[in-house]
């Protein structure tokens, strides 16, 4: 009886080695192409049901769209912004909230971004707050003027009362945290203790400070970009940013409050995203 060979021939082994190596190289090239050329250009939706304490039943399922962290670069992000604006308008949101970082360190880029933002449509208005990148290159009053010129309310350490379906809903916003001048007392001034409240705070880790001043609210933040590059399958974000280390992406609850952190739209530093698409956050409110 003929003996079976113990080992496969060296040529077969070599072939398999090259096939594995080819697969590895293809996977790396694919990931590289995705991170640099595909993901930063394609926006995705995140749908969340978020709780706002004291929200009256008539405002249940109010549809809010949150956009954050544009870091707008006119020569690279135009197509992305056009698609984001179209997708948001198609949703017919009740309210649009913008949570900062409109530019990426080049102040004149705000004007071409505002041309896009001016096309947003919302039933009950658009409200915006400052981000750290905005505050590092310009004064808040300049942004306020520019945003209000296109019909967007801009809040810095203050709040506004909206009346929707005969019910009051408060929106408050701090100044940016990282080298800014946040003032929670001024931000919350005049808001009744049992009123439904959404706060806009660019940097999410400030949630813990806001809780010292006010429980019972929903905070919306950005700043982290969800990590911008995440490890697939385990969904881990290795890169942490100052004031964005504890709350990275999604909903977190503490006491009787919640914070939702957006992955943002744009990119900072290298224009790269991996396993972390630009985000249009669609938030459905419940009481
Ligand atoms: Fe940012």
């Amino acid at each position: 009886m003929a003996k079976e060979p113990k080992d496969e021939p060296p040529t077969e082994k070599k072939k398999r080695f090259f096939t594995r190596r080819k697969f590895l190289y293809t996977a790396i090239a694919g990931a590289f192409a995705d991170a640099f050329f595909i993901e930063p250009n394609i926006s995705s939706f995140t749908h969340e049901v978020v709780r706002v304490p004291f929200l009256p039943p008539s405002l249940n399922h109010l549809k809010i769209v949150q956009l954050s962290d544009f870091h707008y670069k006119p020569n690279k992000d135009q197509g992305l912004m056009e698609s984001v604006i179209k997708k948001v308008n198609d949703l017919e949101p009740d309210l649009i909230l913008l949570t900062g970082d409109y530019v990426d360190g080049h102040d004149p880029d705000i004007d071409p971004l505002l041309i896009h933002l001016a096309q947003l449509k919302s039933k009950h208005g658009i409200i915006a707050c400052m981000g750290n990148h905005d505050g590092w290159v310009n004064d808040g009053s300049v942004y306020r003027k520019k945003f209000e010129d296109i019909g967007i309310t801009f809040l810095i350490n203050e709040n506004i009362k909206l009346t929707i379906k005969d019910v009051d809903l408060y929106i408050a916003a701090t100044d940016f945290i990282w080298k800014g001048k946040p003032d929670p007392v001024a931000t919350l001034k005049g808001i009744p203790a049992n009123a439904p409240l959404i706060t806009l705070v660019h940097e999410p880790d400030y949630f813990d400070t806001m809780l010292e001043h006010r429980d019972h609210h929903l905070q919306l933040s950005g700043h982290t970009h969800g990590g911008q590059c995440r490890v697939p399958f385990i969904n881990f974000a290795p890169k942490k940013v100052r004031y964005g280390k504890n709350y990275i992406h999604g909903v977190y609850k503490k006491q009787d409050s919640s914070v939702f952190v957006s992955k943002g739209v744009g990119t900072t530093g290298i224009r790269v995203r991996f396993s972390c698409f630009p985000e249009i956050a669609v938030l459905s409110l419940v009481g």
Side-chain angles (χ1 to χ4, degrees):
M1 204 168 81
K3 273 187 179 177
E4 293 228 351
K6 278 182 186 169
D7 276 330
E8 55 192 325
T11 48
E12 282 303 311
K13 264 188 178 175
K14 211 170 173 182
K15 251 190 218 168
R16 259 212 326 222
F17 174 73
F18 280 116
T19 309
R20 273 192 207 138
R21 203 157 69 165
K22 202 171 162 187
F23 174 77
L24 187 67
Y25 286 163
T26 308
I28 291 169
F32 183 87
D34 171 83
F36 284 88
F37 304 111
I38 299 172
E39 278 204 38
N41 298 307
I42 300 175
S43 59
S44 65
F45 292 108
T46 294
H47 293 267
E48 288 282 358
V49 176
V50 285
R51 183 170 170 266
V52 178
F54 306 119
L55 190 81
S58 60
L59 296 191
N60 262 344
H61 305 298
L62 198 78
K63 195 197 296 172
I64 290 187
V65 166
Q66 181 199 2
L67 298 174
S68 196
D69 294 81
F70 303 88
H71 294 270
Y72 189 64
K73 300 163 194 77
N75 55 344
K76 293 176 180 165
D77 295 335
Q78 192 168 347
L80 171 67
M81 272 312 296
E82 282 170 2
S83 95
V84 166
I85 301 293
K86 183 176 182 325
K87 285 179 180 178
V88 171
N89 287 341
D90 287 348
L91 288 168
E92 300 184 357
D94 292 307
L95 187 61
I96 299 175
L97 300 173
L98 311 176
T99 44
D101 276 5
Y102 307 98
V103 296
D104 194 41
H106 186 240
D107 185 41
D109 293 344
I110 190 68
D111 294 320
L113 174 67
L114 290 174
I115 293 170
H116 293 292
L117 297 183
Q119 296 168 48
L120 285 170
K121 293 186 184 84
S122 156
K123 289 175 198 149
H124 300 287
I126 306 171
I127 301 172
C129 74
M130 285 286 279
N132 56 302
H133 281 263
D134 313 314
W136 290 346
V137 296
N138 216 327
D139 186 75
S141 60
V142 176
Y143 277 77
R144 181 197 295 275
K145 170 87 174 63
K146 283 178 181 283
F147 276 72
E148 294 193 344
D149 282 350
I150 59 163
I152 296 178
T153 304
F154 203 88
L155 301 177
I156 304 173
N157 292 327
E158 59 200 315
N159 64 76
I160 186 171
K161 181 174 79 175
L162 304 177
T163 304
I164 303 171
K165 297 180 186 172
D166 297 325
V167 171
D168 294 341
L169 171 66
Y170 284 83
I171 312 292
T174 63
D175 194 5
F176 65 102
I177 312 304
W178 192 342
K179 296 186 181 173
K181 292 178 180 158
D183 183 342
V185 175
T187 301
L188 300 171
K189 194 176 174 187
I191 303 175
N194 59 354
L197 168 66
I198 299 173
T199 55
L200 310 181
V201 182
H202 178 69
E203 293 93 330
D205 286 0
Y206 203 67
F207 182 52
D208 295 325
T209 304
M210 290 303 287
L211 282 179
E212 292 168 13
H213 296 266
R214 165 96 183 199
D215 198 358
H216 321 298
H217 76 286
L218 166 69
Q219 176 178 311
L220 302 186
S221 297
H223 186 56
T224 62
H225 304 190
Q228 206 167 295
C229 290
R230 302 174 72 92
V231 181
F233 309 114
I234 60 167
N235 211 15
F236 171 67
K239 188 167 182 276
K240 304 283 191 297
V241 62
R242 196 171 170 188
Y243 299 112
K245 295 182 194 299
N246 301 324
Y247 309 104
I248 312 296
H249 172 246
V251 178
Y252 302 82
K253 292 174 187 168
K254 259 191 182 177
Q255 297 169 214
D256 198 24
S257 299
S258 314
V259 56
F260 173 79
V261 188
S262 167
K263 290 178 195 165
V265 172
T267 48
T268 190
I270 301 169
R271 194 172 184 275
V272 59
R273 275 185 181 265
F274 188 63
S275 198
C276 192
F277 283 88
E279 181 179 79
I280 297 167
V282 188
L283 308 173
S284 177
L285 304 190
V286 292

